[in-house]
Amino acid sequence: MSNTLLEFKNLVTEFKTEGSSVKAVKGVSFTLNKGETIGIVGESGSGKSVTSLSAMRLIPNPPGEITGGEIIFHKNDGTSVDLLNISEEEMRSYRGNDIAMIFQEPMTSLNPVFTCGDQVIEAIMLHQNVTKQKAKEVTIKLFEEVQLPEPERIYSTYPHQISGGQKQRVMIAMAMSCQPSVLIADEPTTALDVTVQKTILELMQKLQKERDMGIMFITHDLGVIAELADKVVVMYKGDIVEQGNVWDIFTNPQHPYTKGLLACRPPLDKRYTFLPTVSDFMKVDDGGNIIDNGISVLDFTKDLTIPDSNRKAKQEKLFAQEPILQIKNLKTHFPIRNGFFGGVTGHVKAVDDISFDVYPGETLGLVGESGCGKTTCGRTILRLEEPTSGQMIYKGKDIVKMNAEELRSFRKEVQIIFQDPYSSLNPRMTIGNAIMEPMQVHEILENDEQRKKRVEELLARVSLDPSHFYRYPHEFSGGQRQRIGIARALAVNPKFIICDESVSALDVSVQAQVLNLLNELKEEFGLTYIFISHDLSVVKYMSDRMVVMQTGKIEEMGDADQIYNKPGTTYTQKLIDAIPEGKLEDIKKHLASKGVKVG
């Protein structure tokens, strides 16, 4: 009997708008086998999610439509069916039952008005002829299988009452509830901490082994692919530009786009003067044709490493100065109330007695899992959250004691780049006006004409077209919106910027561009950064020193490279061990576990 589960043959999916049509997937072909994981990689807009939604027949119509090709599903009884050639009613019997999907954003995929248990029960009862009591037993067993704490309690909780990692596990339990042959996972770990991501990936591998399931794993992170996939499909603007087994793709990438994706991840064992980007390996001409620059990853990166002696000399100069910011015994606690009008029953100690200094021109990294207090710390420094106690001394003045006028001038010097640029931009305001608004508030330059000119200069500086001044936030990609956020922070000529998870939701290639930009701007404008992230590889690349936080407290603090090479606590070691590095020995180990020998 054939091992093949799913065959994509010349799949074409397009989106039609008034007077035009965009082909999101252009004749894609590949095969998924039993017990195999295919990693589909590419940037936003490459067509990877549209490919997976086409397999589920979930393309919104209009404007989307599958206009060509076949998707053949091979059933356990030896027969096969073209999923594009059956009725919607027939498709419903396959969807969830034989082919299941874990969506990128669990909060939008789970219904907020039903408990987590009810939502999994619904999937089971829809496809299997069982009683509600039996479905409940299966659901609780699934919650145990996906390692949810207190499965009985989570069964009765609503999605907003559990963490992001727990919501993702509920989605996995729902997807696994009917024991599908094929699991499609669309960026299931993108917004998760590295430690949670590691447990989710291990869980998926365990379930796959037990059930001989085929997995299509969609991501932009090649580090994750290295530790999970057997085969890799690389997509760019709707086309497959390269596909092959994971070892060949990582050891000998053929296409310049694949080379760019492999090169632009921040390396953990060395420091580069700048991160390579996809454009270093290829150019695209006016006709959309790819031109290979003819450079290998090794040749391009061999001269980028910063010698340790240069770094040490720079740091000696940095730390010989007076600190620009001193945090002393800072606490930020949030009250827990009993009901809407009830009294305070306790406190969440988000920031719990932490102290550190920041020096002019330094990048201080704040790293830790979700809920460790790093974002609350950044917001407290700006008094966006009021501290419970402690001191925050900026240039000799205590921020806690500043009046409204002093606070306004302080916030002109100290800016923040928020985690989600879309929610921090007013959707009704053009991006030009959004950048100009803080300049008007702080009376920078004499009139709006001069301010508009300055905004156009800033847009050009962050690699956006100055003519975009009159466009709205929804007209830009995530990476472009993040650049708008950076331009807005720069508009008031700050001296100090708090970057709060400012690259966590970006593709690795766009992330590399934004990190390079932040470093360039730091040199150009003499900026000081606090760089907040749950991604230790990014923090290590960006930072001079690193502060590791857990449950509101500082676990350890010191030179970023030293902490990575010799972590002082088991918690930091756990964070480092969870980073998917994409090393060749990791790929060898993963393939060996499946009985495949390479190298």
Side-chain angles (χ1 to χ4, degrees), residues 236-275:
Y236 177 75
K237 293 194 173 174
D239 287 311
I240 291 177
V241 292
E242 186 165 2
Q243 63 174 306
N245 72 59
V246 66
W247 180 258
D248 289 344
I249 295 285
F250 272 76
T251 54
N252 189 23
Q254 297 300 304
H255 196 276
Y257 181 66
T258 313
K259 293 176 192 174
L261 286 182
L262 283 167
C264 63
R265 292 173 301 134
L268 280 160
D269 53 348
K270 51 188 169 270
R271 280 184 183 255
Y272 286 165
T273 47
F274 64 90
L275 288 173

Side-chain angles (χ1 to χ4, degrees), residues 37-57:
T37 300
I38 285 186
I40 302 181
V41 295
E43 299 167 288
S44 297
S46 62
K48 54 191 192 298
S49 290
V50 175
T51 301
S52 66
L53 290 168
S54 299
M56 297 290 284
R57 292 253 306 262

Side-chain angles (χ1 to χ4, degrees), residues 106-123:
M107 195 62 215
T108 55
S109 311
L110 291 168
N111 191 325
V113 299
F114 290 103
T115 65
C116 296
D118 281 342
Q119 298 189 57
V120 181
I121 273 185
E122 184 187 25

Side-chain angles (χ1 to χ4, degrees), residues 263-550:
C264 63
R265 292 173 301 134
L268 280 160
D269 53 348
K270 51 188 169 270
R271 280 184 183 255
Y272 286 165
T273 47
F274 64 90
L275 288 173
T277 62
V278 169
S279 61
D280 293 317
F281 296 88
M282 68 179 226
K283 297 277 183 285
V284 180
D285 67 18
D286 294 340
N289 303 307
I290 294 168
I291 301 159
D292 190 338
N293 290 353
I295 307 168
S296 75
V297 174
L298 207 61
D299 283 344
F300 190 85
T301 55
K302 67 173 192 259
D303 299 323
L304 292 183
T305 307
I306 301 170
D308 277 350
S309 55
N310 290 20
R311 208 174 148 261
K312 280 175 183 151
K314 182 194 159 200
Q315 291 200 332
E316 276 173 24
K317 268 173 86 174
L318 265 183
F319 304 135
Q321 307 170 92
E322 285 294 310
I324 190 172
L325 177 69
Q326 293 170 287
I327 304 296
K328 298 179 179 179
N329 307 108
L330 182 66
K331 295 181 182 179
T332 307
H333 298 173
F334 298 108
I336 303 167
R337 298 184 185 278
N338 185 10
F340 194 72
F341 296 108
V344 175
T345 57
H347 285 87
V348 174
K349 296 177 178 179
V351 175
D352 194 18
D353 197 16
I354 68 170
S355 302
F356 59 85
D357 295 340
V358 187
Y359 293 86
E362 180 186 17
T363 299
L364 181 80
L366 271 186
V367 69
E369 296 170 292
S370 295
C372 72
K374 57 191 187 297
T375 291
T376 303
C377 176
R379 290 175 64 85
T380 304
I381 290 167
L382 275 162
R383 293 258 307 267
L384 297 173
E385 305 290 354
E386 286 298 334
T388 306
S389 65
Q391 291 179 293
M392 303 184 290
I393 313 293
Y394 178 76
K395 291 186 176 176
K397 279 190 174 179
D398 192 346
I399 302 162
V400 179
K401 293 175 180 169
M402 285 179 180
N403 61 32
E405 193 56 44
E406 288 172 319
L407 198 58
R408 180 184 286 211
S409 59
F410 161 73
R411 283 181 180 155
K412 178 174 172 281
E413 279 204 21
V414 182
Q415 284 284 300
I416 186 166
I417 301 166
F418 292 99
Q419 180 171 0
D420 181 357
Y422 194 66
S423 62
S424 65
L425 291 167
N426 186 334
R428 295 180 180 183
M429 192 182 270
T430 67
I431 60 123
N433 285 326
I435 297 168
M436 199 158 77
E437 188 183 38
M439 297 168 77
Q440 292 164 331
V441 169
H442 292 289
E443 296 177 350
I444 290 167
L445 300 177
E446 289 175 21
N447 54 48
D448 281 356
E449 198 179 317
Q450 290 179 0
R451 290 180 193 121
K452 181 175 183 286
K453 197 170 174 234
R454 173 72 179 139
V455 170
E456 287 172 344
E457 286 168 7
L458 284 168
L459 286 171
R461 186 63 199 83
V462 298
S463 306
L464 290 172
D465 196 318
S467 65
H468 291 167
F469 186 99
Y470 294 106
R471 289 194 184 179
Y472 289 87
H474 71 271
E475 297 179 76
F476 295 90
S477 70
Q480 288 173 322
R481 283 198 286 267
Q482 200 57 279
R483 289 161 189 267
I484 293 161
I486 294 169
R488 187 174 57 177
L490 291 172
V492 292
N493 306 319
K495 292 281 173 276
F496 196 119
I497 298 179
I498 296 168
C499 305
D500 183 14
E501 298 272 15
S502 52
V503 294
S504 62
L506 302 180
D507 296 330
V508 279
S509 50
V510 180
Q511 174 182 282
Q513 293 167 16
V514 172
L515 294 177
N516 287 341
L517 174 64
L518 287 169
N519 278 333
E520 284 168 28
L521 295 169
K522 182 184 169 187
E523 294 301 315
E524 192 176 324
F525 297 107
L527 299 170
T528 304
Y529 290 145
I530 287 180
F531 193 91
I532 298 168
S533 179
H534 63 255
D535 187 336
L536 201 138
S537 58
V538 170
V539 171
K540 180 191 170 289
Y541 171 73
M542 289 294 286
S543 307
D544 298 294
R545 285 183 308 142
M546 202 190 303
V547 173
V548 182
M549 287 186 72
Q550 186 188 19

